[in-house]
Amino acid sequence: MTTSRLAALERAEPSLVPLARRLLDLAESGLPSMLLPGGEAFAFTMAGTRAPDGSWRLRRRGISTRYAAITALGVRFLPEDRQRAVLAGRTAQEFTGLLVEALPSVTGLGDAALIAWAAADTGHPKLSDALARLDALDDRTRPQYTVEAAWVLSALAAARDTADVERPLAAARDRLLRSRTGGSPLFPHATGPGLLPWYRAHVSCFADQTYPLQALARAHATGPGDAEALAAADACAARICALQGEGGQWWWHYDARTGGVVEGYPVYSVHQHAMAPTALFDLAEAGGADHGAAVREGLRWMTEVPELAGHPAVREPLILDGLGVTWRKVYRGDPRKAVRAVRGLATRAVPGLRLAPLDRVYRPLSVDRECRPYELGWMLHAWLGGRT
């Protein structure tokens, strides 16, 4: 398949096209093994363990409704026969139907939002049921986690063509825009006080930026136009791109008050190959700024991994084609995530305080050998979505 996004990559940097196609092939080959027996649910994660002969073996662990919904959002861009190959004989719409039927037992706002989004995007006939469950779970009088609030807005934007969602959509849009503080272009971890302890209320993560900017861009693109929403998405995107690492890294923790980095690591593969691309592509296609260069820098990190390149003893590939996985992240390996904790407390008191010696003591030389279904689902969404 060739989409506008792959075509744009080929025009801008042809040398990266084989990498993008390699990752897409990996997603299709890897997702079927992440299905639980029966093909009706996805595992939470695939954990890698090394066998005595040095090879890697994968083991399914847990179960995740939201990862299943994200996978459906990505798989739906494949031709029907390939959807069925990934989803044990089902199309993305049919698989989404299983999630819709299970909605009465779903209690998480984020899970319900992703199922509604998948129902809208796959044209499922029971979209109205999904929207009703989403509305029932969305208590607008209380703060919500920003990621889940963003998924609500994306779901409602996706449903706009087939359902009357304007009132809840306006409320979801306003909730995201109001959540920002201090003139910062970045979004906090929660839309209001009460969900987080005081000492880390200022710390937000990369997902807290990509999902809101994507949702606001989609709200603008699917309606009559929303200049304020698009401007907020543009400002957020511009800031995270300005902060991107020299090796293309998308950093993990930010100070939502000041728009600075609190702690860069871990660097997650899904951010590099999927989450940043899908959000920034959606923004550009909605009429926002084009951050294609930053997307390409992030993608390149997947094979170059500067953190490991200078250390032959620890260097290993993050892309394992034969297993159908990308290893989850590169991280410091510090006990109890000490660097993040110390920097979170330090920046609470003194915004921008880096405590540079921590970078020398705890270097990012560890690899998390896991892969989760949503990582591959968003990868398909990122590169196969958009205009065909």
Side-chain angles (χ1 to χ4, degrees):
M1 297 176 65
T2 298
T3 66
S4 61
R5 295 171 178 182
L6 288 170
L9 180 64
E10 186 160 20
R11 289 193 298 271
E13 198 157 347
S15 62
L16 285 177
V17 174
L19 173 58
R21 293 196 177 277
R22 176 188 177 191
L23 289 167
L24 292 170
D25 289 343
L26 178 148
E28 281 194 67
S29 67
L31 281 170
S33 67
M34 299 182 180
L35 273 171
L36 296 179
E40 297 183 355
F42 272 91
F44 174 76
T45 193
M46 301 292 282
T49 56
R50 192 183 289 276
D53 64 1
S55 63
W56 289 99
R57 296 174 183 172
L58 296 175
R59 178 176 297 176
R60 288 189 295 263
R61 291 182 180 171
I63 184 171
S64 176
T65 297
R66 65 178 51 187
Y67 291 177
I70 292 170
T71 301
L73 282 166
V75 170
R76 70 112 174 171
F77 288 107
L78 295 172
E80 182 178 320
D81 61 328
R82 288 158 63 185
Q83 293 180 33
R84 294 187 186 278
V86 170
L87 299 172
R90 296 182 175 89
T91 65
Q93 186 192 74
E94 291 164 352
F95 185 80
T96 298
L98 300 176
L99 303 177
V100 173
E101 294 298 328
L103 269 171
S105 64
V106 170
T107 58
L109 178 63
D111 292 8
L114 287 165
I115 293 170
W117 186 356
D121 272 7
T122 62
H124 196 276
K126 291 190 176 181
L127 171 61
S128 59
D129 292 353
L131 292 172
R133 183 60 177 161
L134 176 59
D135 187 65
L137 291 174
D138 191 3
D139 184 349
R140 299 182 186 92
T141 67
R142 302 175 59 186
Q144 303 291 346
Y145 289 107
T146 298
V147 164
E148 298 192 336
W151 288 339
V152 171
L153 180 56
S154 286
L156 296 172
R160 246 177 169 167
D161 287 343
T162 53
D164 182 6
V165 295
E166 293 308 313
R167 290 184 65 184
L169 187 148
R173 172 256 194 209
D174 291 347
R175 175 169 58 192
L176 280 180
L177 292 178
R178 289 197 307 266
S179 70
R180 296 168 300 166
T181 59
S184 170
L186 300 186
F187 292 86
H189 193 58
T191 61
L195 289 179
L196 303 170
W198 66 269
Y199 56 83
R200 63 151 298 166
H202 66 297
V203 179
S204 62
C205 67
F206 187 71
D208 295 324
Q209 315 313 320
T210 57
Y211 290 125
L213 81 83
Q214 178 182 40
L216 291 166
R218 284 174 164 255
H220 167 76
T222 57
D226 187 335
E228 184 181 3
L230 185 62
D234 259 332
C236 178
R239 188 58 184 153
I240 62 173
C241 289
L243 295 171
Q244 188 178 24
E246 292 182 0
Q249 301 95 333
W250 296 110
W251 301 127
W252 182 219
H253 277 156
Y254 300 86
D255 190 327
R257 304 165 304 177
T258 66
V261 174
V262 170
E263 162 57 5
Y265 291 93
V267 173
Y268 287 85
S269 294
V270 66
H271 297 167
Q272 306 295 134
H273 64 57
M275 281 171 53
T278 198
L280 295 174
F281 286 149
D282 279 356
L283 174 64
E285 290 169 11
D290 183 348
H291 295 285
V295 169
R296 296 189 293 275
E297 285 298 309
L299 182 63
R300 187 179 293 107
W301 180 89
M302 288 298 301
T303 53
E304 298 184 0
V305 196
E307 289 80 1
L308 307 180
H311 302 273
V314 298
R315 186 173 186 180
E316 64 176 286
L318 298 185
I319 304 172
L320 287 84
D321 305 84
L323 292 180
V325 298
T326 58
W327 288 146
R328 181 163 169 75
K329 65 179 183 278
V330 172
Y331 65 106
R332 293 186 187 279
D334 46 325
R336 298 181 181 274
K337 303 175 183 177
V339 174
R340 278 186 275 175
V342 169
R343 282 183 167 158
L345 286 169
T347 53
R348 180 69 184 181
V350 183
L353 184 62
R354 291 297 303 153
L355 300 175
L358 292 173
D359 291 321
R360 295 190 293 273
V361 175
Y362 298 110
R363 304 180 71 178
L365 299 176
S366 299
V367 176
D368 182 356
R369 299 177 186 92
E370 289 186 45
C371 185
R372 300 182 181 180
Y374 85 98
E375 301 174 23
L376 307 186
W378 280 141
M379 186 195 299
L380 295 172
H381 194 272
W383 295 97
L384 300 184
R387 300 180 303 275
T388 56

